[in-house]
Amino acid sequence: MPGPLEGLRVVDFSRVLAGPHCGQTLADLGAEVVKVEPPRPDASRFAAPSSGYMSGYYAQQNAGKRNISLNLWAHEARDVALDLCRDADVIVENFRAGTLASFGLGYDDVSTVNDGVVYVSITGYGQRGPWQGRMAYAPTVQAEAGVTDTSRNHYGDALVDWRTDSLSHGDVYSGLQACIAVLAALDERHRSGRGQHIDVAMAATLVRVNERVHVDLGPNELGAEPPVLGATDSPFFAAPSGARIASSTSLVSSLSFPFWLRAMRRPDLADDPRFRTAGDRLENVAELHRIVQRWMRTFATDEALDAQLDESKVAIGTVRKLEDLRQTEWARHWGAFVETTDAAGGRHVVPGPPWKFSRSTPPPVGTPAFQGQHNAEILRELGRSPADIERLERDGAVVARLPQQVSESNP
């Protein structure tokens, strides 16, 4: 069976992470995605490490997309871009508000020639409003949206600036929320026959995915102090409070203190005055940790510990490096990591799809394209003659940076 989005045509004007992640997800589900890249390449092409002439960062977010590189300052390049949009089902972009409109490629422009298009724009703070023009990158939006403060409070004063997390949550989550919105708008289009513009704000996304909003805003909204431990009655909910150092390092988590008592065969601790309530346990958490640590170290292997914890519905997970996970039987069975190659023979390990369908078969992970690699192919599909293509190249309306050019510019 074809992929669930087989036949869907996507034009991806985005760069770096939030937009490309949205486009990548659509491609992994079977959509045909054409990335439109400006003459100044996507900055992620220069990220390390690389294989041959291709950045691994770029490959991970753009595998399977075809690539055309257009100089939108040239009017003929704008015509090419508008022709691409004319037959597209979805447009993805993550420039500052109004940027593509200044080239005649905003939603109002595109919908004039394609009223069924679903056009998604990802920015830091939205297309309208008091912060619409602000520069936005994941770390800055994470700071504005409370993520950095939460991380700093969790890890302590050792981390006092934005470098509290090496992962770009603001970008990746926004890309996924954009993808969800696109699929919803496509479903609505089946009923109305019309497309629409979707405005995704990274800051609003980070609020949306923050499961602690009800806790952090509790005193203001509810007029009462939030519970000491939030939604859980166990001081072990947050790793690494259940860490065990033995044959490996493991983390455990459970939503309820009684589950721990059952696993440890220590019902007596429920009546210990130091541990009767969540507040008591928090006040005496160091001693409680010592008790748990001593018990965990009585097991000769992680497998034996896992079995007893599993019996009592307490989860355990070994702290692994990604390479360790890649070598597990689970990762091989699921296809959690996939190796792909580019046109120059570079090899890249990228994430496999996180879903499996009972009837549909998403396509295999494709190859990442060099800048402008599919210029001529896409232009021919748009009806341009060989003479037109040669002229567009000569005039600089379309550009390419293929392996040979990359090699010459980086001796």
Side-chain angles (χ1 to χ4, degrees), residues 147-222:
V147 176
T148 302
D149 181 65
T150 298
S151 298
R152 183 173 55 188
N153 290 340
H154 180 76
Y155 292 110
D157 294 334
L159 297 172
V160 295
D161 59 19
W162 60 267
R163 291 169 293 187
T164 51
D165 203 316
S166 62
L167 301 177
S168 299
H169 301 288
D171 281 322
V172 174
Y173 289 153
S174 296
L176 292 176
Q177 291 292 336
C179 190
I180 292 168
V182 163
L183 297 176
L186 289 170
D187 182 69
E188 193 278 337
R189 189 178 71 173
H190 289 311
R191 297 188 295 277
S192 70
R194 299 179 60 195
Q196 56 186 303
H197 189 194
I198 302 168
D199 183 3
V200 176
M202 293 165 64
T205 293
L206 289 172
V207 172
R208 175 74 175 187
V209 301
N210 183 349
E211 77 272 25
R212 287 188 52 86
V213 166
H214 70 288
V215 176
D216 293 344
L217 300 185
N220 294 329
E221 298 297 323
L222 305 178

Side-chain angles (χ1 to χ4, degrees), residues 8 15 84 92-93 97 103 120 151 172 197 204-205 215 219 248 259 261 264 320 328 400:
L8 193 75
R15 72 272 194 244
L84 277 171
V92 181
E93 64 98 1
F103 292 103
V120 60
S151 298
V172 174
H197 189 194
T205 293
V215 176
S248 64
F259 285 82
L261 302 187
M264 296 169 62
R320 307 177 192 267
T328 63

Side-chain angles (χ1 to χ4, degrees), residues 1-327:
M1 295 291 291
L5 296 184
E6 180 88 8
L8 193 75
R9 307 184 73 177
V10 180
V11 177
D12 183 357
F13 285 98
S14 65
R15 72 272 194 244
V16 185
L17 188 50
H21 194 68
C22 173
Q24 183 67 63
T25 304
L26 296 171
D28 288 341
L29 288 166
E32 173 199 342
V33 181
V34 173
K35 183 179 177 77
V36 180
E37 194 167 356
R40 184 178 180 180
D42 187 322
S44 66
R45 287 194 181 276
F46 304 107
S50 62
S51 176
Y53 307 113
M54 176 74 70
S55 157
Y57 192 120
Y58 183 88
Q60 181 174 332
Q61 302 301 328
N62 296 280
K65 302 177 186 178
R66 294 195 294 166
N67 187 290
I68 185 170
S69 186
L70 299 175
N71 178 8
L72 294 180
W73 293 103
H75 286 285
E76 286 191 287
R78 299 182 196 183
D79 292 339
V80 171
L82 194 59
D83 282 346
L84 277 171
C85 296
R86 194 184 306 273
D87 296 323
D89 296 292
V90 178
I91 309 292
V92 181
E93 64 98 1
N94 64 341
F95 292 96
R96 272 203 274 184
T99 297
L100 281 185
S102 69
F103 292 103
L105 294 167
Y107 172 70
D108 290 341
D109 306 297
V110 174
S111 62
T112 299
V113 300
N114 181 358
D115 67 354
V117 73
V118 172
Y119 190 117
V120 60
S121 300
I122 307 171
T123 57
Y125 308 100
Q127 296 290 303
R128 297 176 178 80
W131 288 2
Q132 71 179 64
R134 290 185 66 184
M135 289 282 291
Y137 295 98
T140 57
V141 181
Q142 286 164 200
E144 290 281 9
V147 176
T148 302
D149 181 65
T150 298
S151 298
R152 183 173 55 188
N153 290 340
H154 180 76
Y155 292 110
D157 294 334
L159 297 172
V160 295
D161 59 19
W162 60 267
R163 291 169 293 187
T164 51
D165 203 316
S166 62
L167 301 177
S168 299
H169 301 288
D171 281 322
V172 174
Y173 289 153
S174 296
L176 292 176
Q177 291 292 336
C179 190
I180 292 168
V182 163
L183 297 176
L186 289 170
D187 182 69
E188 193 278 337
R189 189 178 71 173
H190 289 311
R191 297 188 295 277
S192 70
R194 299 179 60 195
Q196 56 186 303
H197 189 194
I198 302 168
D199 183 3
V200 176
M202 293 165 64
T205 293
L206 289 172
V207 172
R208 175 74 175 187
V209 301
N210 183 349
E211 77 272 25
R212 287 188 52 86
V213 166
H214 70 288
V215 176
D216 293 344
L217 300 185
N220 294 329
E221 298 297 323
L222 305 178
E225 290 297 320
V228 174
L229 296 175
T232 177
D233 191 36
S234 168
F236 302 107
F237 182 66
S241 54
R244 167 181 183 253
I245 309 297
S247 58
S248 64
T249 303
S250 304
L251 301 178
V252 294
S253 65
S254 172
L255 295 180
S256 178
F257 185 60
F259 285 82
W260 274 95
L261 302 187
R262 189 180 310 144
M264 296 169 62
R265 316 294 196 253
R266 291 292 307 273
D268 59 291
L269 291 177
D271 297 320
D272 190 311
R274 297 171 296 173
F275 311 132
R276 280 178 184 157
T277 68
D280 294 333
R281 294 194 288 278
L282 188 63
E283 185 176 346
N284 297 285
V285 69
E287 179 58 28
L288 191 50
H289 285 177
R290 282 191 288 271
I291 293 171
V292 173
Q293 290 289 293
R294 285 196 297 270
W295 171 76
M296 294 175 81
R297 292 193 180 101
T298 63
F299 291 85
T301 66
D302 283 353
E303 289 74 20
L305 172 62
D306 191 9
Q308 187 156 328
L309 288 170
D310 185 71
E311 173 191 302
S312 300
K313 309 302 182 187
V314 178
I316 183 172
T318 300
V319 178
R320 307 177 192 267
K321 295 182 182 297
L322 274 178
E323 181 57 33
D324 297 333
L325 178 63
R326 185 186 177 195
Q327 300 304 323

